[in-house]
Each structure stands twice: as structure tokens, then as C-alpha cells.
Amino acid sequence: MLERAESQIAMARSGWADPKNISGTAQGAVDSVDISLAILFESVYTRNLSLCGALISAPGRLTDRLGD
């Protein structure tokens, strides 16, 4: 869910690993930036954006770079 003072967008996807559909509902004064960010965050793999997720994925990223 993406929220700010005047607007709210709730998103849903058909599956976790390979979603076929992404849908959402908007309430309030929603603009194109709100919709774009909601779709982006729903469809992009965002685990690496948190500190915990970055630490978990660091060994895999390191070994990927060593293979180049």
C-alpha cells in the first residue's frame, strides 16, 4: 500500500514469483506519480532496499562479481 496525506493506492498481484496480473485501487487525489511508484514497487524486486535484505543477498552478489 502506498499512502500520503491525500491519497492511497492498494496493489495486488496474481502471484509472488511470476505474477501474470498486477491490479490496484486508488482513493483520494491520486496523480500519475503515485500510480507509477505503486506499480514500480509492486513489480520490482525490492528486498535489497532494506538493510536486512541487503545483508542477506550480499554473499550472492559477491560471488556473482567474482565470476566475471
Side-chain angles (χ1 to χ4, degrees), residues 13 16 37-54 57 61:
R13 47 194 302 177
W16 176 249
L37 287 174
I39 292 170
L40 174 74
F41 286 133
E42 189 64 31
S43 60
V44 172
Y45 187 65
T46 58
R47 182 176 77 176
N48 295 337
L49 297 178
S50 70
L51 178 60
C52 184
S57 61
R61 289 194 324 249

Side-chain angles (χ1 to χ4, degrees), residues 3-4 8 15 19 22 30 35 37 39 42 46 49-50 53 59 62-63:
E3 291 185 62
R4 64 183 172 102
Q8 177 181 14
I22 296 175
V30 177
I35 295 169
L37 287 174
I39 292 170
E42 189 64 31
T46 58
L49 297 178
S50 70
L62 179 63
T63 57

